[in-house]
Amino acid sequence: MELGIIGLGKMGANMAERLHKGGHRIVGFDRDSRAVEAIVTQGNEGAASIVELVSKLKTPRVVWIMVPAGKPVDDTIESLIPEMKRGDVLIDGGNSYYKDSMRRAQRLAGLGINMLDAGVSGGIWGLKEGYSIMVGGEKKAVDSVKPLFETLAPGKDKGWGYVGPSGSGHFVKMVHNGIEYGLMEAYAEGFELLRKKSEFNLDLHKIAEIWRFGSVVRSWLLDLTADALKADQQLQGIEPYVADSGEGRWTALEAIELGVSLPVITQSLYERFSSQDTEEFGGRLLAMMRHEFGGHAVKEGK
């Protein structure tokens, strides 16, 4: 098959390379011309604009966008609409909010354009290991581009699948990322406790390696943790600042709307917020209140 990819960040570029190696014809565009040049060196084709990208594809065209959630997705779609025709397929492989995906799919359906929402997991390792892909949209449109998903996934029949109507792909990916938050937090807390037990002088890397095999807590995240601890058990040079890209917030909000208790996922999101708080005003306020009602000493700030 042939495919146009808009957005050649690390994941978009890796996907282009994996698809090219799988025998697909890829045309790529990015606002950064250097990113376009990079995929051309891999044997893919480049385009200087969205208009040129679409013009290089045979009908029915398939275009995959890998741009940040929100306005960038809407802007990209607006640029594509005049260039696309009935029967074309547009795939949003970014981490869009599922309700936005439902809205976009409904609008494009009125123009005869099939929009699929594909939640993609795999990060920088997807090129080698394959991507986990959760696809929502019209089943007929999904079937028409099935070879693309089969090439990107770890195997033709594993690691990817059709999960339901428009919006469901990004909804499942949203929940996936919420679970990821909880798993990461649990590992972080556990290794923090191990580290604090100084009298045992525990080798964190060795423990991670032990857990990687046979243990019920083994996982790919633990594999990556073991690699990091092997390099530096003190993790020097890394600030304790953990960003959140939105999916955890959306998961927590959805839980509130549906009345579903998600204490682990929600608390892991709060822990990320706490790591981002450089002012720590709440903690200083607590220290002040304790001093006011009990005369307890406060620690002087820097």
Side-chain angles (χ1 to χ4, degrees):
M1 291 190 69
E2 60 178 33
L3 173 71
I5 298 181
I6 299 174
L8 299 171
K10 187 64 175 177
M11 183 176 282
N14 283 351
M15 289 171 60
E17 184 175 350
R18 186 174 176 89
L19 287 166
H20 175 69
K21 289 179 177 178
H24 301 280
R25 174 177 175 255
I26 305 300
V27 181
F29 166 73
D30 193 279
R31 292 186 301 176
D32 185 348
S33 60
R34 293 170 298 180
V36 178
E37 293 169 2
I39 71 159
V40 171
T41 62
Q42 299 167 359
N44 294 304
E45 297 180 43
S49 67
I50 288 178
V51 174
E52 183 182 350
L53 178 140
V54 176
S55 71
K56 287 188 172 185
L57 300 173
K58 297 177 183 177
T59 56
R61 279 79 60 94
V62 183
V63 177
W64 191 308
I65 61 177
M66 291 294 289
V67 298
K71 189 173 184 298
V73 176
D74 286 318
D75 290 345
T76 302
I77 291 175
E78 289 304 313
S79 297
L80 281 166
I81 286 175
E83 311 305 322
M84 300 187 77
K85 297 181 179 180
R86 299 185 70 86
D88 288 348
V89 178
L90 175 60
I91 306 170
D92 179 5
N95 284 325
S96 290
Y97 184 39
Y98 81 95
K99 291 184 179 179
D100 289 339
S101 298
M102 294 172 69
R103 166 179 58 81
R104 292 162 183 153
Q106 183 176 23
R107 182 184 176 216
L108 290 172
L111 301 173
I113 301 172
N114 299 297
M115 181 170 182
L116 305 178
D117 49 289
V120 182
S121 179
I124 60 175
W125 296 92
L127 175 59
K128 177 183 177 183
E129 304 289 341
Y131 297 90
S132 174
I133 309 174
M134 304 134 256
V135 190
E138 290 293 328
K139 182 64 164 56
K140 185 176 180 180
V142 175
D143 290 339
S144 72
V145 296
K146 186 177 179 181
L148 298 174
F149 297 128
E150 291 178 336
T151 302
L152 287 169
K156 284 189 175 183
D157 58 352
K158 63 181 180 181
W160 83 277
Y162 172 70
V163 297
S166 296
S168 64
H170 282 151
F171 180 82
V172 174
K173 178 56 163 51
M174 177 190 77
V175 176
H176 164 282
N177 283 24
I179 294 171
E180 178 185 298
Y181 277 38
L183 288 172
M184 292 173 68
E185 181 62 28
Y187 280 129
E189 291 179 7
F191 278 97
E192 175 72 5
L193 183 59
L194 292 171
R195 180 175 175 272
K196 289 289 187 180
K197 194 64 173 176
S198 57
E199 65 190 86
F200 286 163
N201 192 29
L202 297 171
D203 185 327
L204 301 187
H205 171 249
K206 183 176 182 179
I207 292 169
E209 290 291 346
I210 293 171
W211 288 353
R212 286 182 60 212
F213 304 97
S215 166
V216 295
V217 299
R218 65 187 184 273
S219 72
W220 183 49
L221 275 174
L222 183 59
D223 295 343
L224 298 176
T225 299
D227 288 342
L229 292 173
K230 181 179 181 180
D232 178 11
Q233 291 203 26
Q234 301 305 315
L235 302 181
Q236 295 179 354
I238 299 178
E239 289 293 325
Y241 180 101
V242 188
D244 71 290
S245 54
E247 295 87 351
R249 301 186 189 207
W250 297 336
T251 304
L253 289 171
E254 191 69 25
I256 292 172
E257 287 188 17
L258 297 178
V260 177
S261 175
L262 301 183
V264 173
I265 291 175
T266 304
Q267 186 57 40
S268 67
L269 175 64
Y270 292 157
E271 289 296 325
R272 293 196 179 198
F273 291 162
S274 180
S275 78
Q276 298 165 20
D277 180 14
T278 57
E279 294 185 351
E280 299 181 329
F281 178 77
R284 288 187 280 127
L285 187 62
L286 284 170
M288 180 277 296
M289 286 188 285
R290 187 167 179 269
H291 172 72
E292 291 296 320
F293 72 68
H296 302 287
V298 295
K299 186 176 180 180
E300 294 266 339
K302 295 181 180 179

